């Protein structure tokens, strides 16, 4: 099965809850999403999606993905669908985020051609679904407490509190959230915003609280130096970009990793890195940097096919944004993300929501 056409779209996806604020004054208003459709000589289509979080989260930005899209689209014409990841890597060195939606579209096409849901191609579903968390952006204690209550009341049992700024303020934010939702399971995500000393101050002042610490400092090295001072689970997100990073983290006593599909270049690498993380005994989250229904479907399949005993949680980005790009995602009752049962990603893309193509290579 070979690729005969590649079409790219751009969809702006404002956040339902307004600006999303990370440490260091990093803020974004919504996702700027690249949606890719591949057509094949078997008459089967595949869809993929990628959005970075603004220009400040990962070394990625939407304009970079759109600049690379014509090059990658024409390189894929005539390529076997099963070899897409290799063709993308031979065409463009680096820039994994720019390749992610193309790789995802190939997996969707393979699943549709096989008549199997994507989770069956990735190891099979283990259980019904994956625990969802909601992220509470940095703000003042009252606002963060109110946001925590709102998310808990709408069914999310797990909350990610954004920290990584002034440690004293972060302590007040966390305590306000704990007081508002004492029964919630908490992650404190610094998004790499702390120096080691900041993280130590935060840890010392919150020793009585229960939470998992996520990406306290920017680099793996700093986070590893912090490890002996943190008597609690620690997971890394931004500093995990490869199998080698997972091996380093495991060797240094890091408990879990968060794999972002876009950061690693698509479903192919996310699956590889996930399987290595599982095999070295880590807790694993598979999620992404942004997107709507298409991207959420991919996260759902990768997550549910991760062994349940080592699966941490994931996100329902299609509920984060005011627009949709597909129908067929199962409901999230009980704070769980379930994967569609139809072939491939298992959703029907709403092409009318995507506007005019920004790239269209090949023919039908
Ligand atoms: C909460 N997220 C999944 C959304 C953004 O892409 C960043 C990320 C995080 O862990 O900070
Ligand atoms: Mg994170």
């Amino acid at each position: 099965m070979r690729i005969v056409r590649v079409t790219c779209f751009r969809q702006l996806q404002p956040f339902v809850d307004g600006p999303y604020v990370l440490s260091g004054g990093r803020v974004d208003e919504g996702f700027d999403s690249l949606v890719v459709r591949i057509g094949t000589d078997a008459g089967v289509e595949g869809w993929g999606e990628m959005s970075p979080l603004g220009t400040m989260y990962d070394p990625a930005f939407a304009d970079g993905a759109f600049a690379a899209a014509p090059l990658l689209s024409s390189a894929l014409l005539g390529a076997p669908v099963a070899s897409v990841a290799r063709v993308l890597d031979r065409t463009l060195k680096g820039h994994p985020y720019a390749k992610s939606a193309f790789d995802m579209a190939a997996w969707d096409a393979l699943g549709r051609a096989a008549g199997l849901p994507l989770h069956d191609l990735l190891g099979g579903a283990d259980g019904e679904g994956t625990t969802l968390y909601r992220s509470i952006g940095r703000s003042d204690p009252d606002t963060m407490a109110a946001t925590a209550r709102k998310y808990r009341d709408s069914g999310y049992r797990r909350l990610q509190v954004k920290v990584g700024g002034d440690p004293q303020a972060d302590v007040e934010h966390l305590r306000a959230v704990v007081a508002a939702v004492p029964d919630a399971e908490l992650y404190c995500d610094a998004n790499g915003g702390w120096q080691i000393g900041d993280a130590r101050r935060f840890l010392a002042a919150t020793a009585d609280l229960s939470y998992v610490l996520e990406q306290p400092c920017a680099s793996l090295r700093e986070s590893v130096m912090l490890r002996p001072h943190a008597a609690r689970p620690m997971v890394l997100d931004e500093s995990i970009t490869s199998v080698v990073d997972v091996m380093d983290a495991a060797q240094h006593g890091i408990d879990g990793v968060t794999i972002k599909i876009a950061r690693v270049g698509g479903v192919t690498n996310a699956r590889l890195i996930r399987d290595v993380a599982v095999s070295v005994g880590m807790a694993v989250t598979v999620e992404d940097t942004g997107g709507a229904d298409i991207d959420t479907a991919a996260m759902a399949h990768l997550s549910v096919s991760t062994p349940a005993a080592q699966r941490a949680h994931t996100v329902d980005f299609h509920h984060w944004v005011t627009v949709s790009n597909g129908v067929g995602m199962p409901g999230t009752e009980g704070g769980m993300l379930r994967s569609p049962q139809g072939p491939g990603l298992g959703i029907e893309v709403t092409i009318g929501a995507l506007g005019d193509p920004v790239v269209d290579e090949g023919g039908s």
Side-chain angles (χ1 to χ4, degrees), residues 20 57 133 160 162 189-191 214-215 235-238 258 260 263 287:
Y20 181 52
Y57 175 65
Y133 72 90
Q160 182 194 66
K162 290 300 186 192
D189 187 359
N191 290 109
E214 178 167 335
Q215 196 71 48
V235 302
L236 293 180
D237 181 349
E238 285 92 325
T258 294
K260 296 264 200 304
R263 182 183 302 135
E287 57 176 15

Side-chain angles (χ1 to χ4, degrees), residues 10 12-13 15 20 22 26-33 50-66 97 262 288-291 317:
R10 188 167 199 159
L12 296 178
Q13 303 167 341
F15 292 134
Y20 181 52
L22 309 184
R26 291 175 283 171
V27 59
D28 199 19
E29 311 268 340
F31 297 131
D32 185 350
S33 197
M50 189 290 307
S51 174
L53 181 64
T55 57
M56 46 56 174
Y57 175 65
D58 265 337
F61 70 123
D63 287 331
F66 286 100
Y97 68 100
D288 212 346
T289 48
F317 279 150

Side-chain angles (χ1 to χ4, degrees), residues 119 124-133 157-158 284 286 299-315 329-341:
H119 57 243
D126 190 7
E128 190 206 335
T130 303
T131 302
L132 283 166
Y133 72 90
R157 288 167 287 143
R158 199 168 288 187
V284 180
V286 187
M299 293 192 287
H301 288 287
L302 273 158
S303 295
V304 81
S305 57
T306 302
Q310 284 172 259
R311 188 156 75 217
H313 52 210
T314 193
V315 285
M329 278 306 295
T332 54
E333 297 78 20
M336 301 283 280
L337 186 69
R338 298 168 181 84
S339 53
Q341 298 301 315

Side-chain angles (χ1 to χ4, degrees), residues 163-213:
V163 294
D166 170 57
Q168 188 51 44
D170 286 327
V171 172
E172 286 164 25
H173 297 164
L174 177 60
R175 290 200 180 278
V177 169
V178 171
V181 291
D183 50 342
E185 298 171 55
L186 298 177
Y187 277 58
C188 289
D189 187 359
N191 290 109
W194 281 326
Q195 306 298 309
I196 297 174
D198 298 329
R200 289 183 66 170
R201 283 167 62 201
F202 179 84
L203 284 161
T206 57
D208 57 314
L209 301 178
S210 171
Y211 61 89
V212 175
L213 187 62

Side-chain angles (χ1 to χ4, degrees), residues 225-260:
M225 287 171 71
L226 185 66
R227 190 75 197 91
H229 305 283
R232 60 184 68 251
M234 193 191 292
V235 302
L236 293 180
D237 181 349
E238 285 92 325
S239 52
I240 300 300
T241 63
S242 67
V243 165
V244 174
D245 294 335
V246 167
M247 302 295 282
D248 278 353
Q251 198 179 355
H252 288 102
I254 301 297
D255 301 276
V257 289
T258 294
I259 298 160
K260 296 264 200 304

